[in-house]
Amino acid sequence: MDTGTGIGTGGALGDIGAGAGAGADSGVGVAPVEPDVSFWVDPDSGAARQAAEWRRAGRVADALLMDRIASRAQAEWLAGPAPRAVVEARTTAAARDGRTAVLVAYYIPHRDCGSHSDGGARSATEYREWIDEFAVGLGERGAYVIVEPDAVAQAIAGCDRVAPAERYALLAYAVDRLERQPNTRVYLDAGNSAWHPDPHRLVEPLTRAGVARADGFALNVSNFQTDAASSTYGSELSGALGGKHFVIDSSRNGNGPHTGTESWCNPPGRALGVAPTTVTGAPLIDAYLWVKRPGESDGTCRGGPPAGQWWPSYALELARNARG
């Protein structure tokens, strides 16, 4: 059973969902409130197009619910060949609006161990070239980059397609190359608090993958663990990594995790979480981000379309269940 994430490839502050002001119960302390970094909101996201379509069809109430997603900054997933043009376009659009793009590098060889989101580069050489192109696209414009969701946690779990030494070397290459770009913040993915419950299992793999040279690590990407659980887990992992900072994906964790089977894959009854912000109230948590794009499928489970495809009914449920 996959206990990781259902990963699809694919604004204004608020308190949608549980977890707003999560620093208060995170176990990582409270920091002075700093000015928020305004992350870029894609005006042509699946949620934005859906809201417009429903307005034209007279589904005004549903369109208003969909605005809860469309008005929030969501990450852009780079999951195919030739990333430079998209990276450059997104960071340029963000810079033009005085905002910061959030991007995901998702092209590691044997990605997702052949599961719902399989794919990626065909060789180590191709991956390094891909990362070089991604970095060139960033230029000097601001961006938060999440590096390879699931890559470390899956290697620990024992994917038979992955040679851990090669994977960690490729991740370290990605971290080092992306960190060379000014105004880019790099966060290496570290799975979620339910996948490897003992965070110390990640210390050596993350270290080999270059986390010491990254701005920090990312937790809960495309998963549903609460902000409080991620904060506690991240604090312990940070302590073992010399005080590294981290970011939390709060896109769909407003109701916490599902307790049934395949809890990672399009689980029912979930809700949007705290809106993207750098005002976290906790000194180790750099931001809450919507890394997973709410409404994009985790895969062909529970009647969903293929991973990364827009699923209006699921998006609507997430928005309807959100508090705020």
Side-chain angles (χ1 to χ4, degrees):
M1 181 190 303
D2 189 336
T3 56
T5 59
I7 293 178
T9 58
L13 299 181
D15 59 354
I16 290 178
D25 63 358
S26 67
V28 294
V30 178
V33 174
E34 299 291 341
D36 185 58
V37 172
S38 293
F39 297 111
W40 184 67
V41 178
D42 182 1
D44 193 40
S45 67
R49 293 194 300 271
Q50 192 68 67
E53 178 183 326
W54 282 346
R55 281 189 172 86
R56 290 192 296 269
R59 294 177 59 176
V60 177
D62 288 343
L64 287 171
L65 286 172
M66 195 56 52
D67 286 341
R68 292 182 169 184
I69 300 175
S71 65
R72 308 296 181 179
Q74 303 163 53
E76 179 78 23
W77 289 67
L78 285 301
R84 177 178 176 177
V86 176
V87 171
E88 188 171 319
R90 295 298 183 266
T91 54
T92 298
R96 187 181 302 121
D97 290 347
R99 298 190 175 192
T100 302
V102 180
L103 307 172
V104 180
Y106 192 52
Y107 204 59
I108 198 83
H110 307 297
R111 183 180 70 202
D112 202 26
C113 200
S115 189
H116 290 283
S117 297
D118 63 343
R122 293 166 294 183
S123 69
T125 297
E126 181 181 333
Y127 183 70
R128 291 188 183 95
E129 293 172 347
W130 187 87
I131 285 292
D132 290 343
E133 187 176 340
F134 190 116
V136 171
L138 289 168
E140 297 186 359
R141 294 172 294 277
Y144 279 48
V145 180
I146 310 302
V147 174
E148 299 298 343
D150 282 3
V152 170
Q154 259 178 358
I156 298 170
C159 172
D160 58 10
R161 302 184 183 199
V162 172
E166 178 185 69
R167 172 160 287 191
Y168 300 148
L170 291 177
L171 291 169
Y173 181 88
V175 167
D176 291 342
R177 181 64 187 88
L178 295 170
E179 283 284 9
R180 284 165 50 190
Q181 301 307 122
N183 305 312
T184 294
R185 300 180 64 86
V186 179
Y187 295 90
L188 180 61
D189 188 73
N192 63 75
S193 60
W195 193 349
H196 297 293
D198 179 3
H200 292 89
R201 289 195 67 192
L202 286 103
V203 173
E204 181 183 356
L206 287 171
T207 300
R208 294 173 64 186
V211 73
R213 300 180 298 281
D215 289 279
F217 56 90
L219 292 175
N220 201 48
V221 171
S222 296
N223 210 270
F224 303 85
Q225 306 308 310
T226 65
D227 292 336
S230 294
S231 298
T232 300
Y233 186 86
S235 179
E236 187 172 352
L237 181 55
S238 171
L241 291 171
K244 297 302 291 187
H245 287 209
F246 57 98
V247 296
I248 296 172
D249 183 355
S250 60
S251 57
R252 305 182 300 173
N253 68 352
N255 282 343
H258 181 58
T259 57
T261 60
E262 288 195 309
S263 60
W264 58 273
C265 195
N266 300 324
R270 301 309 92 197
L272 302 175
V274 63
T277 182
T278 59
V279 182
T280 68
L284 291 175
I285 303 175
D286 287 348
Y288 295 103
L289 303 173
W290 283 12
V291 183
K292 173 70 178 183
R293 299 171 72 89
E296 291 187 358
S297 177
D298 293 320
T300 54
C301 49
R302 294 189 170 91
Q309 289 194 14
W310 177 247
W311 191 4
S313 60
Y314 196 73
L316 188 61
E317 180 183 17
L318 290 168
R320 183 179 291 121
N321 291 342
R323 295 187 290 277

